[in-house]
């Protein structure tokens, strides 16, 4: 990596107008150069990317394929019990050698020329390394340790695995900051996690729109009929938008209140006072966390949304697929000591979330419509002045401070 | 050794059993599938809910969850009430970009029959959608795994499990399959 690609304005020709975080230039959502720079600086570099839950690889040799940005990586459990992450790219001819999405292995062999890697991604075998009958093969200066699959720095906290390309990255705890770490530990408190299943979708919009969506409580107050009508997340409830010091991580926090007609619901045209579920078990919510907070939607820069909405818990893992699409991979989970009733609640309430979620359909559809509006207008900008132009934490939902905080950090990281 | 998927794990492969039933029953089952498909193609979700008994189970499940025994579904209804709630949400509550959905069902296979009142049936499905300014695209391909019962003379679904191979859904799944 050259100095010029990590410093100053980098290889891109774009400049964020006046560094005004209340006005977002639309080219950030569609420019292929920006996309490439994001792979290097936002997903690469000294950033902790979510890759897997520990419960997906409990035993030695267990592995799962994941992504850091758009790069395929393999997450393994070593014989020493430590989680490893290495890129799914053979050091020889670059084949993505791990072709299964999960499994258990003692080693990984690239099928092309049978170069073999151990559970840490270190190269352990090269066929005909010394040639045959004294002919061919690799030179005497070939050193196996220099030709492993690229290994990432890994951290594992209370059942969640993160990885960073830059091994000089700060500790995960410092990276999150004390307040955001508190919300993370609220869900991952050390209890054993049970994976309940996956759903996956490829949404035809830029990945940042999804991240912003979880930093924007304003939309939730008007768009989502299910949240508003059943009081699962509403602006007239006691709520907050909080961030870490940099603005890169955020949390939308809500306390459940009674859902009733009031001065606020007059402006919520999607409030349906007459809506009654024929089977209300869908929203039979049981309190399970200490305190009176009922919802925490946490965004962990750059690729994770940690969802705690009522009793549905999920990791939403963002995998960018070019400037105009990204994969949203949902890993639903509960706790190994959940009662059968709580487990069933999580299965039922998952109806709210995922590719067919009664709440999240609204998001994937509107974000797709956003991208359609964005693409032809790279030189225009989006307006984000709800709640002012600052990035302070707030105790209400009518604000876009979380989006502004995100871009404050984004501009810095991207050198825009 | 990795836990590679065996073809026998995959519901889209050949069914385990097949039974011969009289032609009139075979046609009656074929008609049920045709009527169900026709109802979904017409986006008449209220009528769709009427294909199920009161204590019906309706689930749309990605193949990976089905094979690995994970309970999470993309859609999960464990009563006709939940099916009706989903139907109402599809028609009234969710923001959805306009589209035409079309369903193709093939290889309807009767795997077991108890007289003329209870059947286990499997079939392949393909769902495609057409939106403004876009080519028609595949929403999902998969297999129905069904329990069918006769109630008041009419064949209805006691259970319809839709196991989809596609895994990645294009943007949103806005309706039942």
């Amino acid at each position: 990596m050259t100095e010029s690609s990590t410093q100053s304005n980098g290889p891109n020709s774009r400049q964020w107008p006046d560094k005004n975080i209340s006005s977002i230039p639309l080219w950030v959502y569609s420019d292929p150069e920006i996309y490439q720079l994001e792979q290097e600086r936002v997903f690469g570099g000294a950033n902790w990317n979510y890759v897997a839950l520990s419960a997906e690889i409990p035993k030695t040799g267990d592995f799962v394929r994941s992504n850091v940005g758009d790069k395929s990586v393999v997450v393994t459990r070593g014989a020493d019990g430590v989680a490893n992450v290495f890129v799914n790219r053979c050091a020889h001819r670059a084949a993505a050698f791990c072709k299964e999405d999960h499994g258990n292995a003692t080693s990984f062999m690239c099928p092309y020329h049978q170069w073999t890697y151990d559970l840490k991604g270190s190269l352990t075998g090269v066929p005909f390394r010394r040639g045959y009958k004294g002919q061919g093969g690799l030179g005497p200066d070939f050193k196996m340790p220099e030709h492993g699959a690229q290994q990432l720095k890994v951290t594992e906290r209370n059942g969640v695995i993160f990885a960073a390309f830059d091994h000089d990255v700060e500790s995960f705890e410092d990276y999150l900051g004390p307040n955001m770490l508190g919300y993370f530990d609220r869900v991952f408190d050390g209890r054993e996690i049970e994976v309940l299943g996956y759903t996956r979708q490829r949404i035809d919009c830029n990945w940042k729109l999804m991240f912003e969506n979880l930093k924007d409580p304003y939309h939730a107050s008007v768009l989502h009929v299910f949240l508003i009508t059943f009081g699962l997340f509403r602006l007239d409830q006691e709520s907050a938008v909080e961030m870490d010091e940099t603005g890169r991580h955020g949390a939308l926090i809500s306390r459940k209140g009674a859902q009733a007609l009031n001065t606020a619901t007059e402006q919520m045209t999607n409030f349906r006072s007459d809506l009654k579920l024929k089977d209300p078990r869908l929203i039979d919510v049981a309190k399970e966390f200490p305190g009176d907070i009922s919802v925490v939607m946490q965004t962990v820069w750059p690729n994770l949304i940690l969802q705690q909405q009522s009793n549905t818990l999920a990791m939403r893992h963002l995998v960018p697929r070019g400037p105009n699409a990204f994969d949203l991979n949902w890993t639903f989970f509960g706790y190994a000591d959940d009662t059968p009733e709580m487990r069933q609640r999580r299965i039922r309430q998952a109806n709210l979330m995922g590719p067919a979620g009664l709440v999240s359909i609204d998001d994937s559809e509107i974000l797709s419509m956003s991208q359609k509006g964005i693409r032809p207008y790279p030189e225009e900008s989006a307006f984000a002045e709800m709640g002012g132009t600052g990035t302070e934490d707030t105790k209400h939902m009518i604000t876009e401070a979380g989006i502004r905080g995100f871009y404050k950090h984004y501009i810095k990281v991207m050198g825009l | 050794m990795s836990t590679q998927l065996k073809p026998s794990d995959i519901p889209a492969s050949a069914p385990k059993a097949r039974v011969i039933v009289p032609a009139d029953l075979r046609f009656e089952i074929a008609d049920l599938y045709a009527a169900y498909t026709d109802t979904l193609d017409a986006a008449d979700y209220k009528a769709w809910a009427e294909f199920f008994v009161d204590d019906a189970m309706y689930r749309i499940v990605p193949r990976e969850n089905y094979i690995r025994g994970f309970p999470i579904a993309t859609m999960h209804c464990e009563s006709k009430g939940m099916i009706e709630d989903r139907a109402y949400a599809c028609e009234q509550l969710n923001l959805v970009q306009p589209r035409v959905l079309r369903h193709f069902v093939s290889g309807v296979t009767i795997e077991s029959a108890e007289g003329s009142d209870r059947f286990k049936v499997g079939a392949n499905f393909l769902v495609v959608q057409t939106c403004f300014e876009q080519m028609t695209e595949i929403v999902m391909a998969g297999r129905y795994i069904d329990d069918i019962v006769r109630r008041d003379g009419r064949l209805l679904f006691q259970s319809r499990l839709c196991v989809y191979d596609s895994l990645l859904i294009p943007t949103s799944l806005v309706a039942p399959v």
Side-chain angles (χ1 to χ4, degrees):
Chain A
M1 200 176 287
T2 61
E3 183 77 359
S4 65
S5 67
T6 55
Q7 300 296 317
S8 72
N9 295 326
N12 65 299
S13 49
R14 298 287 193 180
Q15 276 283 289
W16 191 291
D18 306 322
K19 302 204 188 300
N20 175 7
I21 52 176
S22 312
S23 179
I24 304 158
L26 297 186
W27 45 257
V28 298
Y29 304 107
S30 59
D31 187 325
E33 273 187 32
I34 291 292
Y35 176 83
Q36 287 306 330
L37 198 62
E38 285 172 349
Q39 296 311 308
E40 182 188 312
R41 297 188 178 180
V42 175
F43 299 100
N47 296 293
W48 285 114
N49 287 260
Y50 167 75
V51 288
L53 292 173
S54 307
E56 295 177 277
I57 52 162
K59 299 188 298 293
T60 296
D62 285 348
F63 72 90
V64 62
R65 228 170 60 187
S66 186
N67 292 87
V68 173
D70 59 10
K71 294 177 175 63
S72 175
V73 299
V74 185
V75 187
T76 70
R77 179 73 60 193
D80 53 3
V82 174
N84 308 290
V85 178
F86 52 86
V87 300
N88 187 16
R89 187 188 79 240
C90 184
H92 177 216
R93 300 297 305 278
F97 55 85
C98 179
K99 63 186 191 298
E100 285 150 40
D101 62 347
H102 76 285
N104 186 275
T106 50
S107 62
F108 295 87
M109 187 181 73
C110 179
Y112 200 173
H113 304 90
Q114 300 184 358
W115 285 36
T116 302
Y117 302 89
D118 66 15
L119 293 171
K120 292 183 188 298
S122 302
L123 185 63
T124 57
V126 174
F128 302 107
R129 181 181 163 193
R130 306 286 179 215
Y132 179 66
K133 292 188 175 173
Q135 292 185 307
L138 292 164
D141 56 344
F142 177 83
K143 294 185 177 62
M144 299 275 279
E146 291 172 5
H147 295 270
Q150 186 183 2
Q151 295 169 20
L152 281 74
K153 176 97 166 176
V154 180
T155 193
E156 195 167 9
R157 184 178 173 89
N158 291 351
V160 191
I161 305 167
F162 293 85
F165 271 100
D166 186 341
H167 287 246
D168 292 330
V169 63
E170 64 197 302
S171 75
F172 180 71
E173 289 70 21
D174 288 346
Y175 179 78
L176 272 195
N179 191 31
M180 288 298 125
L181 192 63
Y183 288 117
F184 181 86
D185 287 350
R186 177 174 167 275
V187 172
F188 296 104
D189 57 5
R191 273 184 288 169
E192 192 183 335
I193 299 296
E194 181 195 3
V195 174
L196 296 177
Y198 305 97
T199 57
R200 305 172 196 275
Q201 62 198 123
R202 177 163 295 174
I203 301 178
D204 55 358
C205 75
N206 186 269
W207 68 275
K208 295 189 291 300
L209 291 173
M210 184 81 248
F211 221 55
E212 288 176 33
N213 179 260
L214 273 293
K215 293 170 178 289
D216 163 22
Y218 172 42
H219 90 278
S221 304
V222 288
L223 174 63
H224 296 304
V225 176
F226 260 81
L227 294 186
I228 300 163
T229 304
F230 299 114
L232 300 174
F233 191 89
R234 273 178 39 173
L235 65 85
D236 52 344
Q237 294 164 347
E238 202 183 325
S239 57
V241 178
E242 296 178 11
M243 282 161 266
D244 72 319
E245 276 185 14
T246 68
R248 60 188 164 182
H249 317 301
L252 304 188
I253 298 139
S254 176
R255 293 168 169 82
K256 189 169 166 50
Q259 56 271 17
L261 285 165
N262 58 31
T263 51
T265 45
E266 283 168 19
Q267 289 188 62
M268 295 182 216
T269 55
N270 274 344
F271 180 81
R272 305 286 181 91
S273 58
D274 57 333
L275 178 59
K276 294 272 181 292
L277 292 179
K278 294 202 169 173
D279 190 337
R281 289 180 298 173
L282 174 65
I283 51 163
D284 165 32
V285 177
K287 179 176 155 50
E288 62 172 316
F289 295 103
D292 58 352
I293 292 174
S294 58
V295 179
V296 179
M297 304 297 263
Q298 188 174 24
T299 42
V300 178
W301 169 282
N303 74 339
L304 172 66
I305 297 156
L306 168 48
Q307 163 198 308
Q308 181 264 308
Q309 163 58 269
S310 304
N311 304 119
T312 176
L313 308 175
M315 307 304 253
R316 304 186 194 172
H317 180 182
L318 281 71
V319 180
R321 299 291 185 190
N324 298 299
F326 75 101
D327 293 351
L328 191 57
N329 294 324
W330 305 65
T331 305
F332 290 87
F333 62 92
Y335 303 102
D337 62 359
D338 279 342
T339 62
E341 293 77 20
M342 181 58 85
R343 195 169 185 269
Q344 195 60 31
R345 277 192 192 92
R346 300 199 201 286
I347 295 164
R348 281 186 198 126
Q349 290 176 28
N351 271 305
L352 298 170
M353 301 298 177
L358 293 164
V359 175
S360 54
I361 283 176
D362 298 335
D363 290 322
S364 46
E365 289 292 295
I366 193 61
L367 298 185
S368 166
M369 291 166 69
S370 296
Q371 193 73 14
K372 289 182 175 83
I374 283 166
R375 281 186 79 165
Y377 297 104
E379 304 311 324
E380 299 293 330
S381 59
F383 180 72
E385 284 191 16
M386 270 289 167
T389 56
T391 59
E392 301 80 25
D393 290 356
T394 64
K395 293 283 186 196
H396 61 83
M397 290 194 190
I398 314 301
T399 183
E400 287 158 340
I403 296 174
R404 291 189 291 271
F406 172 81
Y407 281 110
K408 184 178 75 174
H409 187 68
Y410 180 88
I411 289 170
K412 202 171 133 197
V413 170
M414 291 283 285
L416 296 172
Chain B
M1 235 348 242
S2 72
T3 57
Q4 203 162 10
L5 304 184
K6 298 188 292 292
S8 59
D9 292 332
I10 299 168
S13 65
K16 292 178 239 18
R18 225 174 277 189
V19 295
I20 305 299
V21 299
D24 57 339
L25 283 175
R26 181 169 293 278
F27 278 123
E28 193 180 1
I29 290 167
D31 285 350
L32 171 70
Y33 279 68
Y36 181 100
T37 302
D38 200 34
T39 303
L40 283 184
D41 285 352
D44 186 351
Y45 301 115
K46 203 171 175 187
W48 163 73
E50 297 306 317
F51 283 92
F52 296 90
V53 300
D54 285 345
D55 59 345
M57 182 72 88
Y58 175 77
R59 284 165 58 82
I60 304 176
V61 179
R63 191 183 67 183
E64 60 184 332
N65 290 359
Y66 178 76
I67 290 171
R68 298 175 68 183
F70 291 130
I72 286 290
T74 304
M75 266 188 214
H76 169 92
C77 302
E78 55 187 89
S79 68
K80 188 175 175 188
M82 278 192 200
I83 291 169
E84 289 172 314
D85 289 337
R86 175 61 80 162
Y88 185 73
C90 284
E91 289 188 343
Q92 301 284 334
L93 303 182
N94 281 122
L95 167 69
V96 169
Q97 297 176 91
R99 72 197 67 194
V100 174
L101 288 157
R102 198 166 297 283
H103 302 70
F104 300 85
V105 176
S106 72
V108 177
T109 305
I110 303 168
E111 292 167 6
S112 75
E114 287 177 29
S116 59
D117 293 336
R118 188 173 278 274
F119 305 92
K120 284 191 183 301
V121 182
N124 289 341
F125 63 79
L126 174 71
V127 185
V128 303
Q129 66 185 2
T130 309
C131 303
F132 295 139
E133 299 184 330
Q134 283 179 44
M135 304 302 289
T136 297
E137 68 180 343
I138 292 171
V139 179
M140 56 171 58
R143 187 158 180 89
Y144 291 129
I145 301 172
D146 297 328
D147 285 325
I148 296 169
V149 294
R150 189 179 300 281
R151 289 286 154 83
D152 300 325
R154 188 185 166 198
L155 292 182
L156 297 172
F157 290 102
Q158 174 74 56
S159 169
R160 166 151 267 193
L161 175 62
C162 318
V163 181
Y164 63 95
D165 307 330
S166 323
L167 300 187
L168 268 176
I169 288 169
T171 299
S172 321
L173 180 66
V174 301
V177 298

